[in-house]
Amino acid sequence: MHFISSAMASFCLETTVEDAMQTVRDAGFDSLDFPLSVYSRPQDAPLRGDNWRQWARGVRRTADRIGLPITQAHASWEQAIPDDLHYESPYEIYERTMEACAILGCRQLIFHPVLYLHRMPDRSLWPRIHDWNVRWFHELLPLAEKFDIVINLENTFDYRHLQQPGDAPVPYTTAQDMLELVYGIGSNRVQLCLDTGHAHISGQDVPEMIRAWRGNLATLHLNDNYGLIRPVFEDLHLFPGYGTLEWKPIFDALRDIRFRGVLNIEPVVELARMPRAVRIIQLRAAAQTLQVLAEL
């Protein structure tokens, strides 16, 4: 039986860390996707304070007491490739994030590729963007080794709506782009995280992405949505079955590659405005959905 996991990023700032974690546990999940990214911003965030290690140890103690292991976590995602494409090393907050992940007892730390935030009608800039990312993640490898962390690279999408019809795909939206990044970095400390929602928005064949990645696939974000619906923000993080993704082929593909990792969702932002009791009801339905889909 797979572990089933939920993120809490969408509602954790509405309450205490402990209550947010307990909410996930009360809803029936047996592990947690912890949002280090949320707790690294703004400037007064816990990971930026002088006592950040003490804070992380407190989170770990809470997780142990509640019985909710942290099986994956999200790194900060603050950097973008500069307009002129000059190189900038990872900010100091990334080292804190990686050490905090280790303190939490978690090995799978999810990163977004560093993006160039301008329209790219063709692939002419792809080699420079690719080399920039390979160099950037290479700088993180000694920290991954030091803290025994596996860097999980997550597929992205055109969240700023920069591309026009007929343009080339945004870098790091396709299975091949993500594999080339893994191979370019060239380390067993680097694997892949599949966000099904991002793939759906980008018009990708999700089951085929799973099969293409096979042994490189380490973590999942099993999010649903309605695909590309400009001009709104499409990354709705709906529970499986609430959008237009076909879930049986996705789970068939996971079975075909013998995926043994955690089945994880990232619940919708709207949970933040709901009373705690209603939040638990909605999350419990999502947990039961994951369990049934896995069994089927």
Side-chain angles (χ1 to χ4, degrees), residues 189-208:
R189 291 279 171 186
V190 180
Q191 293 185 295
L192 291 169
C193 171
L194 173 63
D195 188 310
T196 57
H198 293 179
H200 192 36
I201 294 167
S202 302
Q204 303 301 303
D205 185 323
V206 179
E208 286 309 304

Side-chain angles (χ1 to χ4, degrees), residues 144 265 285:
I265 63 168

Side-chain angles (χ1 to χ4, degrees), residues 112-123:
H112 293 185
V114 188
L115 301 181
Y116 184 62
L117 303 181
H118 297 277
R119 181 189 173 201
M120 288 173 283
D122 54 43
R123 296 278 284 184

Side-chain angles (χ1 to χ4, degrees), residues 130 134 176 178-187 190 212-213 216:
H130 178 67
V134 168
Q176 187 58 36
M178 296 301 295
L179 285 172
E180 288 190 27
L181 183 53
V182 170
Y183 299 152
I185 300 167
S187 169
V190 180
W213 288 359
N216 292 294

Side-chain angles (χ1 to χ4, degrees), residues 195-201 223-229 234-239 242-245 247:
D195 188 310
T196 57
H198 293 179
H200 192 36
I201 294 167
N223 301 322
D224 210 338
N225 56 49
Y226 298 104
L228 181 63
I229 46 175
E234 307 94 339
D235 195 21
L236 300 173
H237 287 209
L238 302 177
F239 301 142
Y242 284 64
T244 55
L245 268 170
W247 286 96

Side-chain angles (χ1 to χ4, degrees), residues 154-284:
E154 179 181 348
N155 58 303
T156 188
F157 70 106
D158 181 20
Y159 70 96
R160 292 166 65 93
H161 290 162
L162 298 170
Q163 301 298 93
Q164 299 298 316
D167 285 353
V170 171
Y172 306 122
T173 58
T174 68
Q176 187 58 36
D177 274 8
M178 296 301 295
L179 285 172
E180 288 190 27
L181 183 53
V182 170
Y183 299 152
I185 300 167
S187 169
N188 59 9
R189 291 279 171 186
V190 180
Q191 293 185 295
L192 291 169
C193 171
L194 173 63
D195 188 310
T196 57
H198 293 179
H200 192 36
I201 294 167
S202 302
Q204 303 301 303
D205 185 323
V206 179
E208 286 309 304
M209 287 186 78
I210 292 169
R211 294 187 174 95
W213 288 359
R214 290 192 173 273
N216 292 294
L217 178 60
T219 49
L220 296 170
H221 295 163
L222 297 173
N223 301 322
D224 210 338
N225 56 49
Y226 298 104
L228 181 63
I229 46 175
R230 295 171 182 258
V232 302
F233 187 71
E234 307 94 339
D235 195 21
L236 300 173
H237 287 209
L238 302 177
F239 301 142
Y242 284 64
T244 55
L245 268 170
E246 294 292 335
W247 286 96
K248 183 180 184 302
I250 291 172
F251 276 84
D252 286 347
L254 291 171
R255 181 197 62 211
D256 290 347
I257 69 166
R258 300 180 184 273
F259 181 77
R260 293 293 181 266
V262 174
L263 303 179
N264 177 72
I265 63 168
E266 296 178 296
V268 292
V269 174
E270 283 71 15
L271 286 174
R273 60 186 177 83
M274 301 305 294
R276 185 180 189 276
V278 176
R279 194 178 294 160
I280 290 174
I281 291 170
Q282 293 178 317
L283 286 170
R284 184 174 292 131

